[in-house]
Structure formats: structure tokens, C-alpha cells
Amino acid sequence: MSEPDPGLSSGAVVAEPETLHAPPPRLSSPLARLALDFCASRPAVAGLAVILVVAVAAIFAPLIVPQNPYDLAQLDIMDGTLPPGSPSYAFGTYWLGTDVQGRDMLSAIVYGLRISLLVGSVSVAFALVIGSAVGLVAAFFGGGLDSLLMRIVDIQLSFPAILVALILLAIFGNGVDKVIIALVIVQWAYYARAVRGSALVERRKEYIDAAVCLGLGTRRVLFGHLLPNCLPPLIVIATVQVAHAVALEATLSFLGVGVPITEPSLGLLIANGFEYMMSGRYWISFFPGVALVVVIVAINLVGDRLRDLLNPRLQR
Amino acid sequence: MLVYLIRRLGQSALVLVVMAVLVFIGIYAIGNPVDVLISPEADLAEQQATIARLGLDRPLWEQLWLFLVNAVQGDLGRSFVHGVPALRLILERLPATLELALVALVVALSVGVFLGLWAGLKPDALLGRSIMTGSILGFSLPNFWLGLMLILVFAVLLQWLPAGGRGETVDLLGIRTSLFTLDGLSHLLLPAITLALYKTSLVIRLARAGTREVVLQDYVKFARAKGLSPSRVIYVHVLKNIMIPVVTVVGLELGSMIAFAVVTETVFAWPGIGKLLIDSIVNLDRPVVVAYLMMTVFIFILINLAVDLLYSLLDPRVRLSEAGA
């Protein structure tokens, strides 16, 4: 940001820093209040910090980790199944040990986090968009369309997500994209139901009548007026669903129907280490699992706090 | 009530048929079972004979029609791999899965209600808060990894309990069960804990929320004012009323337990239908996959119906005719 030059005072330039350095009115904005309330809970802040650190590590994985775990030229088969803390010939130390092909587990975990978080966040984003569109349409138009859509939602939600995803992947085959598609299909119904619930309440309020009376288009009323007011519960569900999606993906990959062997997520790393665990070489399964649990707990802590803050029944 | 029941049964039958068609067409699209089933040394004539014997040479719609007609008569096809009726294969394995799911359900209910009640009565005490934090952990631990860690600690490091299999079983009314032998129970313990943990956390949360609401109600205050002992107030007045949401959710969760058993059974090599499903998906044994799904859908529909009916018995305020609309 450039410092305004006092010599060249034109109205706009002088006005800018004043609005930037005016904390009291800013604090009363709903978002800032939410942030302040959020920080009051220490576990939630810790969870958020963990998420940020993990996300940054996953995004910049190639710059951080000592080894590209999927570049076979960098692997040394002689370094296979070394326990944590063993010295390496190529670089420093294998802090978390190596797998049977001599792959540094720490590097593999960071790369695995990448896939897990990618699948989790992308699938939630798509499910959120599709689900809320369906929910809004159902609530706004009502009637036969509403009951048809909600019947589909009911039927789908009466089957456990893991089973539906398992069957879809048995049909689709392996692949990151296919896992994402399966997770979107599994998850959209949650959002559809939640949005419909709050939209049914909101659409009876006067501001929607006003917007309709002003002659605004249906799309504008739906997405410009109705949707923003249905957002709070959606944010909570979306947060928790990211954790759910990451866990579900790991489970599917563990069962061998998730991501392919060339792009291992945390679940596949754990599955690969399963057979070595019986002989006491625990680290191949143990550390990816710890990473998985840390990520899921962190997301759930944040989600829990958000639920408390955004729940209208608990609002002060 | 009767109208409601008829309508529900009609809906269920429709769902079953739609699922059958979807699943059959979907499963038909995966892979070519001939590649897996026929040895590469077989000549062309043998291959053709096998394909014809399995009925894979007919068009999709004809296979689908045959499947539906046979399914109505209780025949869900023959397993490509085992050569026996798929339904029989599943029914043989079903008791193992049900046993696992029921034991896990009992564990989840008893532990969950107890801890949830405690946390709800003393929400600000250290114990109450640690129970809640623990339940977040219980939600977050992936089922399969928990199983692996239990195996690591109790089977590999301590060598107290077996790592897999079902152990010694005894026949009870024609059903094999491992509930009545020490060996069977020791095999059952780890898988049951693994399967129960997630539901336990869920029950803890429900029971806690219920307790916090119920203890503020007038009838609880009145019971106290009447001079009833605190334990009677808690175990009769409070407990009874927090059971309504718990029973509904747990009933529905029995279905998801059977589904989640897929994961637990794979980890612990438990010979139930979940393990059968994974093996069949890997082996492209289409009839077994389809039969498994039909069976599970059927069980789910049954459970959902039972829960709805039970709910109306537990809570007279619920009118079933409204729920069906």
C-alpha cells in the first residue's frame, strides 16, 4: 500500500487512509464480531491454526519436503522400511521412517495430505453449490417439484454415505476425479435439505415479498436475496463435511476403491502399511493415520465452534 | 394407520425396484468378468461356452428382465466365483455381520447413554467437558485406522487378543455364533469396539443434549421437590425422556452399522457380508454385489419402517399420517 503524499492532497487520496484506520465502526460489522467471538475459544483457534499450517504445507509440498516420494530416481530401495529417525544416504534423516520402497514417510504424508485435502475441499465445494441450488429451487417453487426433490433427498439420506460411495466407485473405477464425483453425489443431499429448511423460513419474510414486488427476476431473488440469508447453517455443514469427506476418501482408498496407487492419499498410505504392521513395522501405517486424525480433529473443532456461533437459537 | 402402512410399503417396493434396476445397470458397466474368470489358456470355444453359461452373451435388457423375474422368485443369481446361489452365500455370512453390529450397538448405547447423561448433568465440570472433547475425537477417528491401532496395540505389541478371524463358534438354533465361547468373544471384542466408537460419540452427544433440556423441565423439578432420591430422578424421570431421540437415531444407525461393518470386517478379516462385498467387487462377481445391495436395501427399508412405527409408540404426539404426506 502506498503512503499518501500530503503535498498532492486530492480528496480521494486523503479519505482512503482514514477509512482504513477507523477500527471502531469496522468492529461492529457482523464478520468482525464473528471473528472476535471465534477467537474466544482456544481449541477452535488451535484447530484453525493447524488447518492453515497443513494447507500451506500441502500447497507448497514440493518446496518443503526433502524428497519427491513419487520420483523413482530419488528413492533408494536399500533404505526400505527403516524405522523413524534413521539416517539417510541422500539427505539428513528419515524422521518418520521409510516404507518398503525406501520412500521417506514424511514426504509421502505431505503429498498424501495434498490429495486428501484436494478431494475433500473440491467435493464439498461442488456438493455445496449443487445442493444449495436444489434446496433453494425446492423451497421457492414448492408444490410437486418440492416433494419430488425432497423425496429423492430422503431416499438418498436413508442410505449410509459409505455404502453409496463404495458402490458408485465399484461402478466408476479408481481415480481422483471419480472419488470426487462419488463424494459430490453422496453429499449434495445434506445441503439441499439444510438450504430448503432455512429458505422455507426466509421466503415468508417481507424482504422477499418486497424483492418480488419490485419485479426482480426469479434468479436474482433466489441467489441475491434468499441465498445469502440461508448461508449460516450452510457454512457449518460445509466445514464439518470437509472433515467427513476427507475421512470418507481415506476409508474408500483404504478399501482399495478410492484413489489410484500412483496418487496415494493418506488412506492409501495407511493401507499400504497394513501388511507390515503385523511384523511390528508400525510407522508406515501409524504416521499417515496421525496426520489424518489431526486434520479431521482440527476441522471438527472449527466446525463445532462455528455451530455454536451461528446457531440462531444461541444468539445473544 | 393402515393407509399409512400400505402407502409406506408401496413406496418401499418402488424404491426396491428402482434400486434393482439402477444397481444392475451400473454393475453391468464394470469391467469384463470373463477376463477374471476364464483362464488365459482356455481356447475360444471354451470361452464362448463359459460366456453363454453365465448368460453374458445376451443383450442388457434381456439380462435385466431375467434378473428381475428371478429376483421376485427369490433367486438373485449365481455367484460367478463360488458357483452357488448369491443369496445363499449372503445368508450364510449375514449372522456374523449382524452379531458384530448388534454387539457394537449394545456397547454404543450403554456406554454412550451413561457418559452422555453424566456430561449433561455436569456440563461445566472437568469430567463433563473431557467427555465432550473425547466425543469429538471419537467422531474424528477414522474407523479403519482405529481398528489398525487396536490391532497394533492389543494383537501385535501386547499379544492379548487375536488380530482377525471369528474364532470358535457354536451352533445356536442353527445359527453359528461366537457369542458363547471365550475364544469367539476374544475375537469379537476389538471389531466391536472399532465399530461402536463412532456411534458411542453420537449417543453421548444426543444424551447430553437431551439431559440438559430435560433437567430444566417442570416434571424433573417437581420430582425433586417431591423428595425423590436423586438417583431415582435421574434413572427414571430423566433417562426415560432422553431415550426418545436416542432410540430413533440408534435404530437408523443400525443400518449404517451394517454398512460400516464393510470397513471393520476388512480390517479384522471378519467373515461377514461386508468382507464378501469387497472381495466380490475385486473379483467382479456381479451377482454377489447386486445381491448384497438388494439385501442391504431391503434391511434398510425394514429398519426405517420399524423405527417410524416404534417412534409413534414411544412418542404419542407423532402422527404417522402426517409423516407419510
Side-chain angles (χ1 to χ4, degrees):
Chain A
M1 211 181 299
S2 62
E3 281 292 312
D5 188 344
L8 295 166
S9 61
S10 87
V13 177
V14 178
E16 204 175 87
E18 267 177 18
T19 50
L20 277 177
H21 296 286
R26 280 224 154 188
L27 268 180
S28 60
S29 90
L31 215 57
R33 235 178 343 181
L34 186 67
L36 264 187
D37 283 347
F38 184 86
C39 293
S41 158
R42 230 177 267 165
V45 173
L48 192 64
V50 169
I51 294 172
L52 288 179
V53 169
V54 169
V56 168
I59 292 169
F60 298 105
L63 305 175
I64 296 174
V65 297
Q67 182 193 59
N68 177 356
Y70 301 103
D71 179 4
L72 291 179
Q74 293 186 30
L75 302 185
D76 189 344
I77 199 94
M78 299 300 286
D79 282 351
T81 57
L82 292 177
S86 302
S88 145
Y89 295 109
F91 59 87
T93 314
Y94 294 122
W95 289 112
L96 300 184
T98 62
D99 74 358
V100 73
Q101 287 165 305
R103 186 168 290 141
D104 176 34
M105 283 316 291
L106 180 65
S107 311
I109 288 171
V110 177
Y111 270 75
L113 273 172
R114 257 183 140 177
I115 311 255
S116 293
L117 289 178
L118 176 84
V119 170
S121 45
V122 172
S123 67
V124 164
F126 276 105
L128 179 68
V129 170
I130 296 171
S132 24
V134 170
L136 273 185
V137 166
F140 195 76
F141 294 106
L145 184 66
D146 182 30
S147 22
L148 176 72
L149 289 173
M150 285 306 119
R151 255 304 92 125
I152 297 175
V153 167
D154 282 346
I155 290 173
Q156 184 170 348
L157 288 186
S158 69
F159 298 105
I162 175 86
L163 195 66
V164 178
L166 194 63
I167 294 309
L168 286 173
L169 284 171
I171 296 171
F172 296 159
N174 282 25
V176 172
D177 49 342
K178 286 158 187 156
V179 175
I180 293 178
I181 295 174
L183 288 182
V184 171
I185 296 177
V186 164
Q187 293 182 322
W188 71 275
Y190 294 103
Y191 303 101
R193 179 177 275 182
V195 171
R196 176 178 174 271
S198 40
L200 276 182
V201 176
E202 291 295 326
R203 71 160 296 200
R204 286 195 181 67
K205 295 192 176 164
E206 278 112 359
Y207 70 93
I208 296 293
D209 288 339
V212 174
C213 288
L214 277 173
L216 300 180
T218 308
R219 197 185 302 169
R220 180 141 174 219
V221 175
L222 274 183
F223 296 105
H225 295 249
L226 198 49
L227 183 60
N229 290 290
C230 302
L231 275 182
L234 271 191
I235 296 170
V236 176
I237 299 177
T239 319
V240 178
Q241 283 293 323
V242 173
H244 196 200
V246 168
L248 204 53
E249 183 276 326
T251 307
L252 293 166
S253 299
F254 175 78
L255 292 174
V257 294
V259 297
I261 217 113
T262 48
E263 291 169 281
S265 64
L266 293 176
L268 200 55
L269 290 178
I270 296 170
N272 290 341
F274 186 20
E275 50 184 307
Y276 302 101
M277 212 180 62
M278 295 297 175
S279 54
R281 281 170 283 188
Y282 64 91
W283 57 90
I284 309 177
S285 275
F286 180 72
F287 290 119
V290 171
L292 187 64
V293 173
V294 166
V295 168
I296 296 174
V297 170
I299 298 174
N300 278 341
L301 284 174
V302 171
D304 228 43
R305 182 69 186 156
L306 283 178
R307 180 182 300 136
D308 286 349
L309 291 181
L310 295 176
N311 187 346
R313 271 189 287 174
L314 298 176
Q315 215 124 65
R316 288 137 292 170
Chain B
M1 178 69 190
L2 191 66
V3 176
Y4 170 78
L5 206 63
I6 292 170
R7 194 198 278 155
R8 270 300 293 266
L9 287 177
Q11 264 175 18
S12 307
L14 187 71
V15 170
L16 208 57
V17 172
V18 170
M19 285 298 284
V21 172
L22 282 181
V23 163
F24 191 84
I25 294 175
I27 298 297
Y28 185 87
I30 53 169
N32 185 0
V34 176
D35 299 341
V36 184
L37 295 172
I38 301 178
S39 89
E41 286 135 42
D43 58 34
L44 207 58
E46 278 179 81
Q47 286 189 19
Q48 294 300 340
T50 314
I51 291 173
R53 186 167 51 80
L54 297 175
L56 293 168
D57 54 344
R58 305 191 194 161
L60 173 59
W61 62 268
E62 202 183 322
Q63 289 190 35
L64 176 62
W65 177 246
L66 264 177
F67 167 73
L68 287 178
V69 169
N70 287 335
V72 172
Q73 297 164 353
D75 175 9
L76 292 172
R78 259 172 188 283
S79 159
F80 289 167
V81 177
H82 303 272
V84 296
L87 193 62
R88 203 176 86 199
L89 210 55
I90 286 171
L91 289 179
E92 272 172 13
R93 306 272 198 112
L94 191 60
T97 300
L98 287 182
E99 178 182 281
L100 182 60
L102 283 176
V103 170
L105 194 65
V106 170
V107 171
L109 255 184
S110 44
V111 177
V113 167
F114 181 69
L115 291 181
L117 195 63
W118 202 332
L121 289 173
K122 297 191 166 66
D124 296 319
L126 183 65
L127 191 66
R129 275 166 45 199
S130 7
I131 290 174
M132 285 317 283
T133 315
S135 85
I136 290 190
L137 199 65
F139 267 121
S140 307
L141 276 178
N143 209 279
F144 67 97
W145 192 70
L146 174 70
L148 290 187
M149 289 306 110
L150 288 179
I151 290 181
L152 179 67
V153 174
F154 291 103
V156 180
L157 297 181
L158 298 175
Q159 305 205 329
W160 286 352
L161 292 166
R166 202 175 169 200
E168 195 184 328
T169 57
V170 288
D171 271 349
L172 183 78
L173 305 173
I175 297 168
R176 290 200 307 147
T177 168
S178 43
L179 280 177
F180 300 104
T181 63
L182 209 59
D183 186 48
L185 281 178
S186 71
H187 280 82
L188 186 60
L189 191 61
L190 291 185
I193 292 176
T194 308
L195 194 54
L197 186 79
Y198 184 87
K199 304 300 169 205
T200 311
S201 318
L202 191 72
V203 175
I204 287 179
R205 303 205 132 208
L206 281 173
R208 175 178 179 267
T211 308
R212 289 190 70 183
E213 259 172 47
V214 167
V215 288
L216 299 175
Q217 300 282 326
D218 288 341
Y219 58 78
V220 173
K221 286 183 195 154
F222 184 70
R224 285 213 180 102
K226 231 169 27 172
L228 295 181
S229 69
S231 66
R232 188 171 167 81
V233 174
I234 291 170
Y235 292 114
V236 176
H237 293 79
V238 175
L239 193 61
K240 218 174 177 177
N241 285 288
I242 63 172
M243 285 314 277
I244 296 174
V246 172
V247 164
T248 336
V249 171
V250 161
L252 292 172
E253 294 294 330
L254 180 63
S256 92
M257 282 231 175
I258 292 172
F260 259 103
V262 172
V263 182
T264 315
E265 285 175 12
T266 309
V267 173
F268 290 95
W270 186 262
I273 52 173
K275 181 111 180 36
L276 182 69
L277 174 72
I278 296 293
D279 293 344
S280 304
I281 287 178
V282 173
N283 293 328
L284 296 178
D285 197 349
R286 288 178 188 165
V288 179
V289 177
V290 174
Y292 172 89
L293 283 176
M294 299 316 298
M295 190 74 198
T296 340
V297 171
F298 184 70
I299 293 178
F300 278 18
I301 289 175
L302 225 58
I303 291 175
N304 284 352
L305 191 63
V307 167
D308 279 357
L309 295 179
L310 254 185
Y311 198 42
S312 75
L313 288 180
L314 273 179
D315 190 345
R317 287 169 299 180
V318 176
R319 301 264 317 259
L320 285 177
S321 50
E322 284 169 8

